[in-house]
Amino acid sequence: MSERTPLLHYRLSTNVNEQSGEHQPCLSGETVEQSLAFSRLKSVHHSRPKKLSTFFGVVIPTLLSMFSVVLFLRIGFVVGQCGLYQTIAMFLVAYFIISMTVLSVCAISTNGALDAGGAYYMISRALGPEFGGSLGVMFFLANVCSSALYILGLVEAIVATFGLPEDGVSPAGSLQVLPAGYWWSLLYATGILLLCLLVCLVGAEIYAKASFLIFLVVMLVLATIFISFFAVRPRTILLPAALPVHNNTGPQPPNMANFTGFKLDTLLGNLDADYAVDYTTGTMMSFATVFAVMFNGCTGIMAGSNMSGDLKNPSNSIPRGTITAVIFTFIIYNLLSLMVACSCDRILLQRDYSFLRDINVWNPLVTVGVYSSTMSAAMSNLIGASRILYALARDDLFGTVLSLAKKTSHNRNPWVSVLLSWFLVQLVLFTGKLNTIASIVTIFFLLVYAAVDLACLALEWASAPNFRPTFRYFTWHTCVLGIVGCAIMMCLINAIYASASIAFMLLLLLLIHYLSPTSSWGYISQALIFHQVRKYLLMLDVRKDHVKFWRPQVLLMVSNPRSNVGLITFINDIKKSGLYVLGHVQLGDLDTLPSDPLQCRYDSWLSLVDHLNIKAFVNLTLADSVRHGVQHLLFISGLGGMRPNTLVLGFYDDCTPKDKLTDPTLADATVPTQDPEDKRPPYHFPALRPSNDGMGGNGKVMGPQEYVAVIADAMKMLKNVALARYFHQFDRTSTISSSPGKCALYVDVWPVNLLRPDSSSYVDTCSLFLLQLACILNMVRAWRHARLRLFLCVEEGRSLRGSEEKLGQLLKELRIKANVYTVTWDQQVALHWQRQGEAGKRRPTRQSQREEGGLGKRGLFEEKEGGDYVNSFPSNATRLSDEYLSAVNRLILEQACPPPAVRFLYLPHPPADTQHYTAYLRQLDLLTKDLGPTLLIHGVTPVLTTDL
C-alpha cells in the first residue's frame, strides 16, 4: 500500500479480554496511525513487491491484449463480412461500451488502494462478497476462455503458414511441413500453452520484460503493415481451402483474389455488408456473430487492472494506462479498417484471414507479429486468470474448495492458481476453433463490464461520504449507459448463452450468500438500503395513520435473553410485519464509568437475532433504574412513523428460569460451537440467577411497585401493554409442528375484564385489541392451522343463545374466524359479591341494560361514543378476594380441554392509587397461576374497524 494512499475510513480496533471472551471495541485518535501501520505491515507481509510502472504494467499488457487476434487475423474478416460502414459502427458501439466501463474502472480504482485481483477486487469491495465472488468467477472463466481463444488464433496462424495442404503434398521449397487436422492443432495448442505456463510460473516480472520485447515487435510489424498498403504493388493472392458446405450445389467459390491497392471501386465494393459462410467453421455469419469475434479485440481493457497487485501505484497507473491504450487502439483499428476496405477485394477479406502476411513488404515479419502478439495475449490472460483465482481463494468465499489456490512461491507467485488456470485453459482448447468460443468469451466479458458499471453506479447512488474518487470524468449516466449497452449486446450476440451466464452467476451469488463468512469489506447494499430507508421514513407521515392499516409495533423488554427464547420467538410471530425492537436496560451511571458498557454487547444481541432467525432491532440503554430505562426506550425507539405502539414485559413472579441458549436438550435453542473443546458460552450474556425478574430476566432488579409503575407509565404514553407469563415453557418448534390431524393447536381468548365482574363487556377498546392480536397470530403461516376459542362469560338467567349469536355476528363483521363458547360463572361472581356484602343483588340497572342491549355493531359504536366505560370504574384492587381470583383461575383451567398453546387475557388498568400496586400485581398472579403461556393484554388505541 502506497504511503500516499489516503485513509478513507477509521479502522475499528478490537480489544479482546481473554478471560471473559468479550470484545470491547474502541475508537480513539490513535486509530488512524494504527490503521496506517497495520496496512503497511499487511502490505509487506501479504503481498509481493510491486515494481511495475504504468507503461510496463498497464499500457503494454492492455495494448497487446487488444492487438492480438483481431488486429492481425480478423480485421479483414470483419470488413469483408460487414462492410466498412457496419465495421465502423461496430467499433463505435464496442468502444462506447468499453469507454463507459473504463470510466467506471478509473473512478473505482482512484477511490482507494487496490490489491491483487483487478476487476474482481473492485467489484467485491464495492458490491460485497456475493456479487464480487460470483462475478469474480465469471471474470476468471472469461480470462481462461480468452487465453484459449488467443492460443487457437496462434495455432490457426501457424497452420496457415506451415501446415500441409489437404492433399498432403508440400510444394517444392515450401515451408508447409506441419501435419494439419484437429488433433494436430490440439497438440500444437497444448505445446504453446505449456510455454505460456512456464513463463507464468516464473512470475510477473519476466512476463513484463518479455511483453516489452513483444510490444516492440508488434509496433514494428504494425508500422510495416501501414507502409505496405502504399509500397506493395497490386497482386493476386492464392486463397486457402475452405470447409465444404453441405447441400451446396451452386458454383464453387474462386481460389484466387486480388490486392488492388488504393482504388475507389474497391472501396465502393466494400462499403455495404455481405455476410457469407465462414470458411474455417462452415457456418453462416451475421452481425451478432461477427461482432462477437470483433469484440474480443476490445476485451483487453482489464489486462492492466488484472496486474493491480504488481503495480507500484495502481490507483494512478490503471486510469492513465487504460485510457491511453483504449484511445490508441481505437485509432489504429478504424484506420486499418479504412485502408483494408480501400485496397482489398471482398473475396480476399472473406476467404483469407492471414492476408496481411501476403501483402506485407516482408511476409515473415507479419507472421512474427501474429505469433508474438497472440502469445503475449494468451500469457496475459493466463496470468490474469491466476491472479483472480488467487484473490478469490485468499478471500475464502468458497471455503476449503479453493484452499490450495492460496499457495505461493518464495517470491509470492501463486503457482497453484497458475496450474489450475492452465488446466482449465487446456480443457477449453478441445473446442478447436477460435470462432466457436468467441461468443462465450464476449458474453463473459460483457457481463463483467456491466458489473463494474453497476458497482460504480451503486457507489454513486449510495452517496457514501467516503466515495470521492480523484477521477471525476464520470456520472451515473455513463454507468447506466454502460450497463444498458452491455445487456443489449449480450442478447444480440447469443440470448441463450447470455441467459445461461446470468443464471450461473445468480446461482453462484446464492451459494456465496449462504455459505461464505461475513466479510469486513463493507456492503454497498447496506449503503443503498440506508439511502432508501431514510427517504421512505421521511415519507411515512404519522398524521396519515389509519386504523385500517394498523399493525403491532412491539418493544419487548428483555433483561437476559437466556431465559426468554420462547417469548422472543413468539412475539416475532405476533408482530405482523411490524416494527420489533428488543429492549434492554443496563443499570448504571455514565458519569461514574470510564466508557459506555453497552457498546461491547451489541454484537451478542445481534448474533442472538441472527441465531433465532427473527426480524428485530436491538436497542440498549443505560439508566439509574429500570423504570427510567423503559421510559427512555419508549420515548426514543424508532424513527418517524415507525415507533413502538406496544410494550411487552415479562411477568413479575418467582419462576425459576432455564437457560435455553446453552441447554443441549432444547433443540430449537442449541448453539453448536466450532470447537468441541470450547466450553465458553456462545453469547456474552450474564449467567442466570435462581429467580426471574419482571422483565423476563434473572434476579430482582426492581420491586413490584416499580414494575407496576412501568405498566402505568406505558399506558400514560398511550402504549398498549402486554405481560407475558410462563413463556419459559413455550417451545415454538414443538408447538407449531403439531398437525390438525393429530393434535389441534388452540389459542384461547378471554376478552372480559376478569378483575371487574360487575362491569364485564366484550366491546371495549381493550377487548377488541385482544381479538385483533389473536387474529394476527392466526394469520401467521406457522399458526394458520391454529383454532381460536373465544370464551363468553355469562350468568344464568341471561339469554345464552342470544349472547353467543350477537358476539358471533360481531366477529363476522370484523372478519375474525373463531369458535365462541359460553361459560357460566355464577359461582365466581357470587364470591365477588359476598366480599362486597351484596350477595344475591342484581347489578346496576345501567349495566343490565347494556347486557340486554346486545353485543352487535351498535354496541361497539356506543362504547366509542360514550367513552371507555369499563376503564372509567374506580380502582377495584381492594375489593377482590383471593377466593374469587382462585375460582376464576380454576374456571379458566377447566375450559382448557385440550390445553391451548397460548392464552390471551384482559389486563385491567393499574389502580390510580400507587399504594395498591402490590395488591394489583398479586391479583394478576393469582388469576394467571399455572395457566401456561399467557399474555395479559391492555389496549389503549382502536385497532379494529368494520369499514372497507
Side-chain angles (χ1 to χ4, degrees):
M1 180 179 294
S2 172
E3 295 184 5
R4 295 182 296 169
T5 303
L7 183 67
L8 297 181
H9 61 278
Y10 284 94
R11 183 171 61 88
L12 189 64
S13 61
T14 306
N15 298 325
V16 181
N17 188 324
E18 296 180 355
Q19 295 179 355
S20 64
E22 294 188 1
H23 293 261
Q24 298 178 349
C26 62
L27 189 65
S28 64
E30 298 177 355
T31 309
V32 179
E33 289 75 10
Q34 293 172 357
S35 295
L36 287 173
F38 175 80
S39 300
R40 294 191 188 103
L41 179 61
K42 180 179 178 182
S43 176
V44 172
H45 190 68
H46 291 286
S47 61
R48 59 182 148 153
K50 301 175 182 180
K51 300 179 180 179
L52 300 182
S53 63
T54 301
F55 184 72
F56 287 97
V58 181
V59 175
I60 291 179
T62 305
L63 282 176
L64 292 179
S65 295
M66 302 178 74
F67 271 169
S68 54
V69 175
V70 172
L71 178 66
F72 294 111
L73 296 179
R74 289 297 184 270
I75 193 70
F77 161 78
V78 175
V79 176
Q81 297 285 347
C82 300
L84 182 62
Y85 290 154
Q86 288 193 16
T87 298
I88 295 177
M90 278 187 179
F91 279 116
L92 288 174
V93 171
Y95 272 83
F96 173 79
I97 293 175
I98 66 170
S99 296
M100 299 300 100
T101 304
V102 166
L103 295 179
S104 300
V105 170
C106 295
I108 297 176
S109 62
T110 58
N111 190 52
L114 286 180
D115 206 342
Y120 158 71
Y121 188 86
M122 299 179 191
I123 297 172
S124 62
R125 269 49 178 183
L127 297 183
E130 292 93 347
F131 278 98
S134 57
L135 288 165
V137 172
M138 303 301 292
F139 195 33
F140 166 72
L141 295 177
N143 277 272
V144 166
C145 295
S146 186
S147 180
L149 180 142
Y150 293 135
I151 291 176
L152 291 174
L154 177 55
V155 171
E156 182 180 299
I158 292 174
V159 172
T161 305
F162 301 105
L164 285 172
E166 288 187 351
D167 55 10
V169 179
S170 176
S174 174
L175 297 176
Q176 295 177 307
V177 295
L178 294 178
Y182 170 78
W183 292 107
W184 285 105
S185 297
L186 181 60
L187 178 61
Y188 303 149
T190 302
I192 296 170
L193 180 58
L194 284 174
L195 180 60
C196 295
L197 173 64
L198 293 176
V199 174
C200 294
L201 286 176
V202 174
E205 287 77 14
I206 190 172
Y207 162 73
K209 296 176 182 178
S211 62
F212 177 66
L213 296 177
I214 294 174
F215 171 75
L216 294 179
V217 173
V218 171
M219 290 299 102
L220 175 62
V221 173
L222 186 60
T224 61
I225 288 175
F226 281 106
I227 294 173
S228 298
F229 284 109
F230 298 94
V232 175
R233 296 181 178 181
R235 62 179 63 175
T236 301
I237 299 173
L238 180 65
L239 299 178
L243 290 177
V245 181
H246 299 291
N247 300 326
N248 187 5
T249 58
Q252 295 298 319
N255 59 358
M256 304 290 290
N258 297 319
F259 170 71
T260 64
F262 291 106
K263 287 188 176 181
L264 181 60
D265 292 340
T266 304
L267 174 62
L268 295 176
N270 289 325
L271 290 179
D272 297 323
D274 183 17
Y275 294 104
V277 175
D278 176 18
Y279 78 94
T280 62
T281 62
T283 57
M284 186 66 185
M285 293 290 100
S286 63
F287 180 89
T289 55
V290 175
F291 182 86
V293 175
M294 181 277 300
F295 194 79
N296 284 281
C298 309
T299 56
I301 61 171
M302 293 293 186
S305 301
N306 292 342
M307 303 297 293
S308 58
D310 302 289
L311 299 174
K312 291 180 180 178
N313 190 350
S315 297
N316 182 59
S317 299
I318 290 176
R320 293 185 178 183
T322 305
I323 292 176
T324 301
V326 167
I327 294 175
F328 184 74
T329 56
F330 178 76
I331 295 173
I332 295 299
Y333 275 137
N334 283 277
L335 185 59
L336 189 58
S337 299
L338 176 63
M339 299 183 75
V340 165
C342 292
S343 59
C344 299
D345 284 343
R346 183 178 291 272
I347 191 65
L348 175 63
L349 301 178
Q350 292 180 343
R351 289 286 311 282
D352 188 1
Y353 295 160
S354 58
F355 74 97
L356 290 177
R357 178 196 60 196
D358 299 323
I359 66 173
N360 198 267
V361 291
W362 188 46
N363 295 354
L365 193 58
V366 175
T367 302
V368 172
V370 171
Y371 295 171
S372 58
S373 63
T374 51
M375 176 71 78
S376 173
M379 287 190 294
S380 174
N381 281 272
L382 183 59
I383 284 185
S386 66
R387 297 308 186 267
I388 296 170
L389 184 61
Y390 172 67
L392 283 167
R394 196 175 60 178
D395 288 337
D396 288 324
L397 296 183
F398 295 91
T400 58
V401 176
L402 298 178
S403 57
L404 286 177
K406 298 180 186 179
K407 295 184 179 296
T408 59
S409 60
H410 65 280
N411 63 342
R412 311 301 297 175
N413 185 33
W415 61 273
V416 176
S417 296
V418 173
L419 289 176
L420 291 174
S421 303
W422 162 79
F423 176 73
L424 292 179
V425 173
Q426 181 63 58
L427 293 180
V428 179
L429 290 177
F430 280 92
T431 56
K433 293 296 181 182
L434 183 152
N435 289 4
T436 304
I437 62 174
S439 298
I440 299 175
V441 175
T442 301
I443 287 175
F444 279 173
F445 275 110
L446 284 171
L447 190 60
V448 175
Y449 293 168
V452 174
D453 291 321
L454 178 63
C456 188
L457 176 66
L459 289 170
E460 179 70 11
W461 275 356
S463 301
N466 284 325
F467 182 64
R468 43 179 184 269
T470 56
F471 183 87
R472 298 302 304 169
Y473 300 101
F474 79 99
T475 65
W476 67 268
H477 305 85
T478 61
C479 301
V480 171
L481 288 174
I483 295 172
V484 172
C486 291
I488 292 175
M489 294 315 303
M490 285 173 62
C491 295
L492 289 178
I493 291 171
N494 194 313
I496 297 177
Y497 286 173
S499 301
S501 300
I502 295 174
F504 179 63
M505 182 197 70
L506 294 177
L507 180 63
L508 289 173
L509 188 148
L510 293 175
L511 182 68
I512 297 173
H513 176 74
Y514 287 107
L515 297 182
S516 67
T518 303
S519 72
S520 58
W521 311 335
Y523 293 79
I524 189 63
S525 59
Q526 298 300 305
L528 292 174
I529 290 172
F530 178 88
H531 187 270
Q532 293 301 108
V533 166
R534 172 186 169 275
K535 179 174 70 175
Y536 287 111
L537 275 176
L538 291 172
M539 296 171 61
L540 189 61
D541 193 342
V542 294
R543 295 169 295 183
K544 299 179 181 179
D545 285 344
H546 195 278
V547 65
K548 289 191 298 184
F549 307 109
W550 180 90
R551 68 181 71 240
Q553 303 197 77
V554 182
L555 171 62
L556 172 61
M557 297 304 304
V558 181
S559 179
N560 194 330
R562 294 188 180 280
S563 61
N564 284 272
V565 171
L567 179 58
I568 293 173
T569 54
F570 178 78
I571 298 300
N572 184 67
D573 285 337
I574 211 172
K575 70 180 186 302
K576 187 56 179 177
S577 302
L579 178 68
Y580 184 20
V581 180
L582 297 180
H584 172 73
V585 177
Q586 174 72 34
L587 298 181
D589 186 357
L590 193 60
D591 291 338
T592 62
L593 297 172
S595 62
D596 184 3
L598 298 176
Q599 296 302 317
C600 60
R601 299 195 176 187
Y602 273 99
D603 285 345
S604 292
W605 284 84
L606 295 176
S607 298
L608 174 74
V609 170
D610 294 337
H611 169 65
L612 298 179
N613 194 26
I614 61 175
K615 298 178 180 179
F617 299 94
V618 175
N619 205 349
L620 312 180
T621 188
L622 187 69
D624 57 354
S625 68
V626 174
R627 181 183 181 184
H628 290 162
V630 176
Q631 290 177 359
H632 295 168
L633 293 178
L634 287 175
F635 277 126
I636 68 174
S637 294
L639 287 172
M642 292 189 67
R643 291 184 178 275
N645 55 30
T646 303
L647 173 68
V648 180
L649 302 172
F651 197 78
Y652 193 96
D653 57 17
D654 295 324
C655 293
T656 302
K658 295 181 181 179
D659 191 339
K660 292 193 175 183
L661 287 181
T662 57
D663 187 354
T665 62
L666 298 171
D668 65 318
T670 301
V671 182
T673 57
Q674 299 294 333
D675 184 3
E677 298 180 357
D678 188 3
K679 303 299 182 182
R680 294 179 302 173
Y683 304 103
H684 304 300
F685 301 125
L688 294 177
R689 297 175 186 173
S691 59
N692 200 10
D693 73 358
M695 297 175 60
N698 59 294
K700 298 294 186 181
V701 296
M702 62 177 174
Q705 195 82 4
E706 184 181 4
Y707 177 79
V708 180
V710 170
I711 301 174
D713 292 342
M715 295 180 183
K716 291 176 183 177
M717 300 168 69
L718 296 182
K719 306 294 183 184
N720 310 299
V721 178
L723 307 183
R725 189 173 192 187
Y726 295 121
F727 271 88
H728 64 278
Q729 303 174 1
F730 179 79
D731 184 351
R732 183 180 185 275
T733 302
S734 61
T735 300
I736 66 177
S737 62
S738 58
S739 61
K742 297 180 181 180
C743 181
L745 190 63
Y746 292 98
V747 176
D748 288 359
V749 182
W750 295 76
V752 61
N753 186 353
L754 297 175
L755 298 191
R756 292 307 305 260
D758 54 348
S759 61
S760 60
S761 174
Y762 294 89
V763 289
D764 69 336
T765 300
C766 186
S767 299
L768 295 175
F769 188 83
L770 263 73
L771 293 176
Q772 178 76 318
L773 286 189
C775 180
I776 288 174
L777 181 64
N778 199 206
M779 296 170 67
V780 178
R781 181 184 298 272
W783 292 82
R784 281 182 181 174
H785 64 282
R787 302 178 186 177
L788 297 185
R789 297 189 301 193
L790 187 60
F791 293 95
L792 176 62
C793 295
V794 296
E795 298 179 49
E796 288 187 5
R798 305 296 176 201
S799 175
L800 301 182
R801 180 182 295 272
S803 300
E804 186 174 349
E805 289 179 354
K806 291 171 182 177
L807 182 58
Q809 179 63 27
L810 175 62
L811 294 176
K812 183 178 179 180
E813 294 181 2
L814 295 174
R815 291 91 61 203
I816 296 177
K817 185 178 181 181
N819 297 324
V820 179
Y821 298 89
T822 55
V823 179
T824 58
W825 65 334
D826 295 75
Q827 296 179 359
Q828 291 77 16
V829 173
L831 291 174
H832 169 70
W833 290 113
Q834 288 175 6
R835 176 66 178 264
Q836 312 305 322
E838 300 176 10
K841 294 184 179 181
R842 292 283 297 168
R843 294 189 184 188
T845 304
R846 179 182 177 186
Q847 181 64 21
S848 301
Q849 293 174 350
R850 294 173 60 84
E851 288 287 344
E852 296 171 359
L855 300 168
K857 182 177 179 181
R858 177 174 176 80
L860 169 62
F861 290 108
E862 284 178 352
E863 287 296 333
K864 292 180 181 179
E865 295 171 2
D868 199 341
Y869 178 72
V870 175
N871 291 333
S872 66
F873 274 80
S875 174
N876 199 40
T878 61
R879 295 186 294 167
L880 291 175
S881 65
D882 293 351
E883 292 80 6
Y884 165 75
L885 294 171
S886 298
V888 174
N889 176 263
R890 288 192 300 271
L891 175 68
I892 297 174
L893 288 173
E894 290 171 358
Q895 309 304 318
C897 185
V902 64
R903 287 183 176 87
F904 289 75
L905 299 185
Y906 190 117
L907 175 66
H909 196 288
D913 188 352
T914 58
Q915 295 180 359
H916 297 153
Y917 279 0
T918 303
Y920 168 81
L921 186 57
R922 183 173 181 277
Q923 291 168 0
L924 296 180
D925 179 70
L926 291 174
L927 178 66
T928 58
K929 184 177 181 181
D930 298 327
L931 291 185
T934 302
L935 275 185
L936 286 160
I937 301 171
H938 185 91
V940 297
T941 55
V943 293
L944 281 172
T945 179
T946 58
D947 297 334
L948 180 63

